[in-house]
PDB file of all heavy atoms in Angstrom:
ATOM      1  N   ASN A  72      16.905  -4.686   7.882  1.00  0.00           N
ATOM      2  CA  ASN A  72      17.947  -3.828   8.468  1.00  0.00           C
ATOM      3  C   ASN A  72      19.253  -3.928   7.679  1.00  0.00           C
ATOM      4  O   ASN A  72      20.285  -3.453   8.164  1.00  0.00           O
ATOM      5  CB  ASN A  72      18.163  -4.192   9.933  1.00  0.00           C
ATOM      6  CG  ASN A  72      16.988  -3.773  10.816  1.00  0.00           C
ATOM      7  OD1 ASN A  72      16.692  -2.608  10.911  1.00  0.00           O
ATOM      8  ND2 ASN A  72      16.362  -4.750  11.454  1.00  0.00           N
ATOM      9  N   ASP A  73      19.180  -4.514   6.497  1.00  0.00           N
ATOM     10  CA  ASP A  73      20.352  -4.634   5.620  1.00  0.00           C
ATOM     11  C   ASP A  73      20.542  -3.295   4.879  1.00  0.00           C
ATOM     12  O   ASP A  73      19.626  -2.775   4.240  1.00  0.00           O
ATOM     13  CB  ASP A  73      20.098  -5.775   4.630  1.00  0.00           C
ATOM     14  CG  ASP A  73      21.333  -6.031   3.747  1.00  0.00           C
ATOM     15  OD1 ASP A  73      21.716  -5.099   3.001  1.00  0.00           O
ATOM     16  OD2 ASP A  73      21.846  -7.152   3.775  1.00  0.00           O
ATOM     17  N   LEU A  74      21.739  -2.737   4.966  1.00  0.00           N
ATOM     18  CA  LEU A  74      21.983  -1.410   4.375  1.00  0.00           C
ATOM     19  C   LEU A  74      21.769  -1.430   2.852  1.00  0.00           C
ATOM     20  O   LEU A  74      21.347  -0.425   2.282  1.00  0.00           O
ATOM     21  CB  LEU A  74      23.404  -0.982   4.720  1.00  0.00           C
ATOM     22  CG  LEU A  74      23.678  -0.654   6.200  1.00  0.00           C
ATOM     23  CD1 LEU A  74      25.123  -0.201   6.379  1.00  0.00           C
ATOM     24  CD2 LEU A  74      22.726   0.457   6.681  1.00  0.00           C
ATOM     25  N   ALA A  75      22.085  -2.527   2.194  1.00  0.00           N
ATOM     26  CA  ALA A  75      21.889  -2.605   0.754  1.00  0.00           C
ATOM     27  C   ALA A  75      20.417  -2.555   0.387  1.00  0.00           C
ATOM     28  O   ALA A  75      20.028  -1.905  -0.612  1.00  0.00           O
ATOM     29  CB  ALA A  75      22.539  -3.885   0.196  1.00  0.00           C
ATOM     30  N   VAL A  76      19.588  -3.200   1.193  1.00  0.00           N
ATOM     31  CA  VAL A  76      18.150  -3.199   0.958  1.00  0.00           C
ATOM     32  C   VAL A  76      17.607  -1.791   1.157  1.00  0.00           C
ATOM     33  O   VAL A  76      16.845  -1.262   0.331  1.00  0.00           O
ATOM     34  CB  VAL A  76      17.438  -4.178   1.915  1.00  0.00           C
ATOM     35  CG1 VAL A  76      15.934  -3.960   1.883  1.00  0.00           C
ATOM     36  CG2 VAL A  76      17.755  -5.617   1.507  1.00  0.00           C
ATOM     37  N   VAL A  77      18.006  -1.170   2.244  1.00  0.00           N
ATOM     38  CA  VAL A  77      17.539   0.188   2.537  1.00  0.00           C
ATOM     39  C   VAL A  77      17.993   1.171   1.441  1.00  0.00           C
ATOM     40  O   VAL A  77      17.228   2.035   1.019  1.00  0.00           O
ATOM     41  CB  VAL A  77      18.059   0.658   3.929  1.00  0.00           C
ATOM     42  CG1 VAL A  77      17.708   2.119   4.190  1.00  0.00           C
ATOM     43  CG2 VAL A  77      17.485  -0.240   5.028  1.00  0.00           C
ATOM     44  N   GLU A  78      19.205   1.021   0.954  1.00  0.00           N
ATOM     45  CA  GLU A  78      19.715   1.881  -0.118  1.00  0.00           C
ATOM     46  C   GLU A  78      18.915   1.716  -1.378  1.00  0.00           C
ATOM     47  O   GLU A  78      18.646   2.673  -2.116  1.00  0.00           O
ATOM     48  CB  GLU A  78      21.185   1.564  -0.369  1.00  0.00           C
ATOM     49  CG  GLU A  78      21.767   2.210  -1.600  1.00  0.00           C
ATOM     50  CD  GLU A  78      21.825   3.735  -1.554  1.00  0.00           C
ATOM     51  OE1 GLU A  78      21.751   4.308  -0.443  1.00  0.00           O
ATOM     52  OE2 GLU A  78      21.960   4.359  -2.641  1.00  0.00           O
ATOM     53  N   SER A  79      18.494   0.486  -1.687  1.00  0.00           N
ATOM     54  CA  SER A  79      17.675   0.223  -2.881  1.00  0.00           C
ATOM     55  C   SER A  79      16.394   0.989  -2.808  1.00  0.00           C
ATOM     56  O   SER A  79      15.855   1.484  -3.820  1.00  0.00           O
ATOM     57  CB  SER A  79      17.387  -1.270  -3.027  1.00  0.00           C
ATOM     58  OG  SER A  79      18.596  -1.982  -3.292  1.00  0.00           O
ATOM     59  N   VAL A  80      15.837   1.112  -1.610  1.00  0.00           N
ATOM     60  CA  VAL A  80      14.568   1.831  -1.413  1.00  0.00           C
ATOM     61  C   VAL A  80      14.800   3.335  -1.429  1.00  0.00           C
ATOM     62  O   VAL A  80      14.088   4.061  -2.146  1.00  0.00           O
ATOM     63  CB  VAL A  80      13.928   1.390  -0.063  1.00  0.00           C
ATOM     64  CG1 VAL A  80      12.774   2.321   0.306  1.00  0.00           C
ATOM     65  CG2 VAL A  80      13.400  -0.056  -0.190  1.00  0.00           C
ATOM     66  N   THR A  81      15.740   3.821  -0.667  1.00  0.00           N
ATOM     67  CA  THR A  81      15.928   5.262  -0.553  1.00  0.00           C
ATOM     68  C   THR A  81      16.458   5.908  -1.835  1.00  0.00           C
ATOM     69  O   THR A  81      16.257   7.108  -2.059  1.00  0.00           O
ATOM     70  CB  THR A  81      16.855   5.618   0.606  1.00  0.00           C
ATOM     71  OG1 THR A  81      18.127   4.952   0.422  1.00  0.00           O
ATOM     72  CG2 THR A  81      16.269   5.208   1.931  1.00  0.00           C
ATOM     73  N   SER A  82      17.107   5.132  -2.688  1.00  0.00           N
ATOM     74  CA  SER A  82      17.650   5.687  -3.919  1.00  0.00           C
ATOM     75  C   SER A  82      16.639   5.630  -5.065  1.00  0.00           C
ATOM     76  O   SER A  82      16.900   6.133  -6.173  1.00  0.00           O
ATOM     77  CB  SER A  82      18.914   4.920  -4.353  1.00  0.00           C
ATOM     78  OG  SER A  82      18.612   3.568  -4.643  1.00  0.00           O
ATOM     79  N   ALA A  83      15.461   5.039  -4.840  1.00  0.00           N
ATOM     80  CA  ALA A  83      14.463   4.912  -5.875  1.00  0.00           C
ATOM     81  C   ALA A  83      13.607   6.152  -5.993  1.00  0.00           C
ATOM     82  O   ALA A  83      13.364   6.844  -5.002  1.00  0.00           O
ATOM     83  CB  ALA A  83      13.587   3.680  -5.599  1.00  0.00           C
ATOM     84  N   ASP A  84      13.113   6.411  -7.216  1.00  0.00           N
ATOM     85  CA  ASP A  84      12.152   7.516  -7.414  1.00  0.00           C
ATOM     86  C   ASP A  84      10.756   7.074  -7.009  1.00  0.00           C
ATOM     87  O   ASP A  84       9.894   7.883  -6.666  1.00  0.00           O
ATOM     88  CB  ASP A  84      12.142   7.920  -8.874  1.00  0.00           C
ATOM     89  CG  ASP A  84      13.498   8.388  -9.360  1.00  0.00           C
ATOM     90  OD1 ASP A  84      14.037   9.334  -8.728  1.00  0.00           O
ATOM     91  OD2 ASP A  84      14.044   7.833 -10.324  1.00  0.00           O
ATOM     92  N   LEU A  85      10.498   5.764  -7.082  1.00  0.00           N
ATOM     93  CA  LEU A  85       9.211   5.199  -6.725  1.00  0.00           C
ATOM     94  C   LEU A  85       9.436   3.785  -6.180  1.00  0.00           C
ATOM     95  O   LEU A  85      10.226   3.017  -6.732  1.00  0.00           O
ATOM     96  CB  LEU A  85       8.302   5.120  -7.988  1.00  0.00           C
ATOM     97  CG  LEU A  85       6.938   4.487  -7.799  1.00  0.00           C
ATOM     98  CD1 LEU A  85       6.036   5.412  -6.934  1.00  0.00           C
ATOM     99  CD2 LEU A  85       6.286   4.195  -9.139  1.00  0.00           C
ATOM    100  N   VAL A  86       8.732   3.475  -5.094  1.00  0.00           N
ATOM    101  CA  VAL A  86       8.784   2.128  -4.520  1.00  0.00           C
ATOM    102  C   VAL A  86       7.424   1.492  -4.642  1.00  0.00           C
ATOM    103  O   VAL A  86       6.434   2.032  -4.128  1.00  0.00           O
ATOM    104  CB  VAL A  86       9.244   2.170  -3.020  1.00  0.00           C
ATOM    105  CG1 VAL A  86       9.249   0.742  -2.446  1.00  0.00           C
ATOM    106  CG2 VAL A  86      10.615   2.803  -2.902  1.00  0.00           C
ATOM    107  N   VAL A  87       7.374   0.341  -5.303  1.00  0.00           N
ATOM    108  CA  VAL A  87       6.113  -0.371  -5.496  1.00  0.00           C
ATOM    109  C   VAL A  87       6.016  -1.467  -4.434  1.00  0.00           C
ATOM    110  O   VAL A  87       6.913  -2.310  -4.337  1.00  0.00           O
ATOM    111  CB  VAL A  87       6.009  -1.004  -6.899  1.00  0.00           C
ATOM    112  CG1 VAL A  87       4.743  -1.810  -7.038  1.00  0.00           C
ATOM    113  CG2 VAL A  87       6.095   0.076  -7.976  1.00  0.00           C
ATOM    114  N   LEU A  88       4.963  -1.405  -3.625  1.00  0.00           N
ATOM    115  CA  LEU A  88       4.757  -2.423  -2.577  1.00  0.00           C
ATOM    116  C   LEU A  88       3.766  -3.449  -3.114  1.00  0.00           C
ATOM    117  O   LEU A  88       2.597  -3.149  -3.333  1.00  0.00           O
ATOM    118  CB  LEU A  88       4.200  -1.750  -1.316  1.00  0.00           C
ATOM    119  CG  LEU A  88       4.976  -0.561  -0.775  1.00  0.00           C
ATOM    120  CD1 LEU A  88       4.265   0.016   0.450  1.00  0.00           C
ATOM    121  CD2 LEU A  88       6.396  -0.973  -0.400  1.00  0.00           C
ATOM    122  N   VAL A  89       4.210  -4.657  -3.311  1.00  0.00           N
ATOM    123  CA  VAL A  89       3.321  -5.684  -3.863  1.00  0.00           C
ATOM    124  C   VAL A  89       2.385  -6.198  -2.784  1.00  0.00           C
ATOM    125  O   VAL A  89       2.629  -6.082  -1.592  1.00  0.00           O
ATOM    126  CB  VAL A  89       4.103  -6.846  -4.497  1.00  0.00           C
ATOM    127  CG1 VAL A  89       5.078  -6.348  -5.548  1.00  0.00           C
ATOM    128  CG2 VAL A  89       4.860  -7.664  -3.428  1.00  0.00           C
ATOM    129  N   ASP A  90       1.263  -6.765  -3.230  1.00  0.00           N
ATOM    130  CA  ASP A  90       0.210  -7.256  -2.306  1.00  0.00           C
ATOM    131  C   ASP A  90       0.608  -8.583  -1.701  1.00  0.00           C
ATOM    132  O   ASP A  90       1.554  -9.231  -2.159  1.00  0.00           O
ATOM    133  CB  ASP A  90      -1.096  -7.367  -3.072  1.00  0.00           C
ATOM    134  CG  ASP A  90      -2.320  -7.321  -2.168  1.00  0.00           C
ATOM    135  OD1 ASP A  90      -2.135  -7.195  -0.938  1.00  0.00           O
ATOM    136  OD2 ASP A  90      -3.435  -7.436  -2.699  1.00  0.00           O
ATOM    137  N   GLY A  91      -0.134  -8.957  -0.669  1.00  0.00           N
ATOM    138  CA  GLY A  91       0.132 -10.267  -0.047  1.00  0.00           C
ATOM    139  C   GLY A  91      -0.239 -10.323   1.411  1.00  0.00           C
ATOM    140  O   GLY A  91      -1.299  -9.808   1.805  1.00  0.00           O
TER     141      GLY A  91
END
Side-chain angles (χ1 to χ4, degrees):
N72 289 299
D73 184 299
L74 292 180
V76 168
V77 174
E78 170 64 19
S79 294
V80 168
T81 56
S82 64
D84 300 304
L85 178 70
V86 178
V87 177
L88 307 178
V89 304
D90 202 1

